[in-house]
Structures are given as C-alpha cells and as structure tokens.
Amino acid sequence: GGAANPPNELNVATTSATRRFSPEHLSISSTFNYIECFCMPRRSSKPPLRALTALAASQGGYFTARQARTYGYLAPHLSYHASVGNFERVGHGVYRIATLPLAEHDDLIRLWLWSRGRDDRPQATCSHQTALDLHGLSEAIPDSIHLTVPPGFRKAAPRGCVLHPGAVGRGERQSFDAVPATSPLRTLS
C-alpha cells in the first residue's frame, strides 16, 4: 500500500487515478456542492411540479413565469424544462405544460394570459362577436378575436385580435375554459 493520507486531506476519485486535494484547494462553491450532494437531503421536485401542473390544467395547460416562481421555478428552471421539452414557451413569460391536452378555446386562453398587467393578472374579457360565438348566439364564425380591455390598456393588439376599451363588471361575465367572456345580456346590449 501507499502512505496514509495526512489529516485535513480529502481523496477524490477520478477515472484515471486518485488525486489528493487539501481543503485550501477546494473552492467555496465546490465545498457547498459536496455538502449539498452528500450531507443534505435532496428536495423532491414532484410536489411543486404537481402543484404547477394543477394550476396549468385549470388554465388550459398554461402558466406564467411569475406563477411558476411561486412554486420554486426560477428563470433557469424554466429554460431547462423548455429545452428538454417538459414546458413549451409560447410567449413572453407564458409557458405551457407539454403533456397536457389542448383546451377547446386554446387561442383565447393564450390571449387572455397575454393581456396580463404588471400584477400578472389577465385583464381581457372575450366580448362582441367572440362572446356571441362562445354563447352559441351567432351562426357566423368571427374572423377576429374580440377582447374588452380596461381603459388605459397599453399593449398593441396581436394579429387577428381586436381590442375594445371598456369596463366589465363581475356580474357581467362568465367563464369558458377559465377565460372570461361577457355575459349573454352584456354581449347582446
């Protein structure tokens, strides 16, 4: 055999040989990686993923980066999951869980999430011809998606979307696949 390791040295196995590193040669980050890997219990990612998936399922498979952050998913995590195909990035700060089926009103859900303000809350309500179609009150298929947004809404309408400034009260809307639409009475008035 060889000489015994002097105290305060750590053997690190490599594929070619065993090297000796004294604690002075270990960086702080590698020390923390060692402690994290061997001394700390690993946190399971399943409960946060389940919670995020449940939220996304209630929103047609979609979630925002801010919503993901509440479950511990930071920007690097979102990038990683998008790169391996777990999440799809569908717009600025909007993601979709790839394994969830598309909702019937998928295009409306994406636009609803697109309309979110600085507080991350969607501001749009489906209205006009779009609401007529959702309620089954029109034979015509709308050629554009119509959304009512609060006065002062600053985003430009995406292609195929018409924005109508106006206020819609709580009693004047109902949901279709998590997307609010003006009520039949409000739509027809």
Side-chain angles (χ1 to χ4, degrees), residues 134-182:
L134 287 170
H135 291 297
L137 299 173
S138 175
E139 297 284 326
I141 298 172
D143 57 350
S144 297
I145 294 173
H146 293 262
L147 301 173
T148 296
V149 293
F153 185 80
R154 296 171 116 4
K155 293 182 180 181
R159 185 181 306 166
C161 182
V162 178
L163 301 179
H164 303 275
V168 180
R170 284 187 187 262
E172 297 180 305
R173 63 179 98 151
Q174 71 184 77
S175 291
F176 291 88
D177 282 340
V179 177
T182 52

Side-chain angles (χ1 to χ4, degrees), residues 65-120:
R66 190 178 288 180
Q67 289 171 332
R69 198 173 318 133
T70 64
Y71 298 106
Y73 288 92
L74 304 177
H77 300 114
L78 294 174
S79 294
Y80 167 77
H81 284 285
S83 72
V84 298
N86 297 331
F87 301 160
E88 298 169 3
R89 186 173 188 270
V90 295
H92 179 73
V94 179
Y95 294 83
R96 186 174 187 294
I97 295 190
T99 57
L100 292 176
L102 291 175
E104 180 182 357
H105 304 293
D106 185 71
D107 53 346
L108 302 179
I109 295 169
R110 277 186 282 121
L111 284 170
W112 176 65
L113 287 171
W114 161 84
S115 75
R116 67 198 189 286
R118 292 183 187 269
D119 62 356
D120 205 46

Side-chain angles (χ1 to χ4, degrees), residues 8-9 20-28 30-31:
N8 295 333
E9 282 195 2
R20 289 190 189 133
F21 291 101
S22 64
E24 317 61 79
H25 292 106
L26 293 173
S27 70
I28 291 174
S30 66
T31 302

